[in-house]
Amino acid sequence: MQIAASIMVLLLAAAGGYYALSSRRKGEASSRPGTPSNVIPMDRHRKAKQHAAEQQCSSCRKKNGKLIFYAQDNGSVVGLCKECRAKAKKRDMMPL
């Protein structure tokens, strides 16, 4: 009887230790130094978005505020300005 009780205590202690380690690891994975995180701060995202307002057209290389993106036959994506839309329509490119 006493052996069974001590075995139960050991099993409960082992299970509790495993639970404590596994719950600590979940929150600790992103806070380890030197490990890259998939979480991007929103202020950095907003700054990057402001700088990317002027993009180059893939055809004429002029910087335009708004591009329309098309898929080419080989699967690559090109961004074209309003002036280069006619080229995309002639080549039957699909808009994205």
Side-chain angles (χ1 to χ4, degrees):
M1 180 81 165
Q2 193 176 23
I3 295 172
S6 61
I7 290 174
M8 290 297 287
V9 169
L10 287 174
L11 288 176
L12 288 174
Y18 175 76
Y19 177 75
L21 287 175
S22 65
S23 63
R24 192 179 86 193
R25 286 183 187 156
K26 289 178 186 175
E28 193 177 279
S30 62
S31 63
R32 290 184 183 162
T35 304
S37 175
N38 291 336
V39 179
I40 300 171
M42 287 303 294
D43 56 343
R44 190 185 320 168
H45 172 72
R46 287 185 191 110
K47 287 178 186 177
K49 192 174 180 182
Q50 289 174 353
H51 295 298
E54 295 280 324
Q55 293 180 336
Q56 283 187 353
C57 174
S58 296
S59 179
C60 65
R61 299 289 182 207
K62 292 180 185 175
K63 288 198 173 191
N64 294 303
K66 191 171 184 181
L67 298 178
I68 298 107
F69 293 94
Y70 293 92
Q72 291 183 336
D73 294 333
N74 63 359
S76 63
V77 177
V78 292
L80 300 176
C81 62
K82 290 181 181 179
E83 299 159 358
C84 296
R85 276 191 204 175
K87 294 178 186 178
K89 288 184 181 182
K90 285 181 187 177
R91 293 180 56 194
D92 289 330
M93 294 170 69
M94 299 294 294
L96 300 176

